[in-house]
Amino acid sequence: MLIDLNEVIKNDGRVMQTDVMPEMKQFVSKMGAFPIVMQQPVSLEIRNMGDRKLQITGSTVLTVRIPCDRCLEDVDVTLELSFEKEADLNKSEAESQQTLENFVYVEGYSLDVDKLVYSELLVNWPSKVLCKEDCKGICSICGTNLNQNTCNCRKEETDLRMAKIQEIFNKYKEV
Ligand SMILES: [Zn+2]
Ligand SMILES: [Zn+2]
């Protein structure tokens, strides 16, 4: 979704306020693709600070579906994003990309709201996602989700160890 910045760029001191609905349906990054299951409009304020500099303030709330770190079940994570940025239109796009990594959302005389939200998501991505604090995860041996079921893997492991100890014990007894 592009916002036309012509009016605000032409007039020093001009403030533009708008609510925009991003079109992004999923967040795709190196970590994978995550569906955006709820998105509120992004409320934006764009202020011409003079000297071809823009101040961009905004906020939004969205819910992203991310697998639990331990059991891989889907978790709907709601993220509140709020940001304040400055865009210097005197700089060329190449220059800006070098100095301000997230600047690419302003292209020429338009602002790409999806790119803006994307860069904010990258910065605010949760480092840890759990379906619940005490998620038991999945069994590393048979893959059973231990929140829903139990398995005998760990038990068998201990049984095996006990048998070995018993074996050694018996050997000593024989001597
Ligand atoms: Zn979990
Ligand atoms: Zn198991």
Side-chain angles (χ1 to χ4, degrees), residues 68 70-73 130-132 135 137 147:
C68 170
R70 288 189 200 148
C71 72
L72 306 178
E73 286 290 307
L130 290 178
C131 60
K132 53 185 177 190
C135 170
N147 298 312

Side-chain angles (χ1 to χ4, degrees), residues 58-150:
S59 62
T60 189
V61 178
L62 47 78
T63 304
V64 194
R65 190 158 286 167
I66 309 172
C68 170
D69 287 347
R70 288 189 200 148
C71 72
L72 306 178
E73 286 290 307
D74 284 339
V75 186
D76 287 348
V77 181
T78 298
L79 298 165
E80 286 177 34
L81 306 175
S82 68
F83 48 86
E84 192 180 314
K85 295 169 172 296
E86 223 178 273
D88 186 346
L89 304 175
N90 297 305
K91 288 182 182 158
S92 72
E93 221 164 277
E95 251 182 307
S96 304
Q97 283 195 12
Q98 277 176 349
T99 50
L100 297 154
E101 49 176 294
N102 295 331
F103 187 53
V104 280
Y105 51 82
V106 178
E107 285 163 350
Y109 286 82
S110 57
L111 187 152
D112 191 323
V113 179
D114 287 277
K115 283 189 181 169
L116 182 59
V117 170
Y118 183 91
S119 70
E120 284 306 304
L121 269 176
L122 261 188
V123 176
N124 293 285
W125 197 253
S127 54
K128 192 172 188 180
V129 174
L130 290 178
C131 60
K132 53 185 177 190
E133 267 308 307
D134 61 344
C135 170
K136 296 192 187 84
I138 53 177
C139 171
S140 56
I141 299 160
C142 70
T144 296
N145 183 334
L146 299 173
N147 298 312
Q148 295 159 0
N149 267 305
T150 50

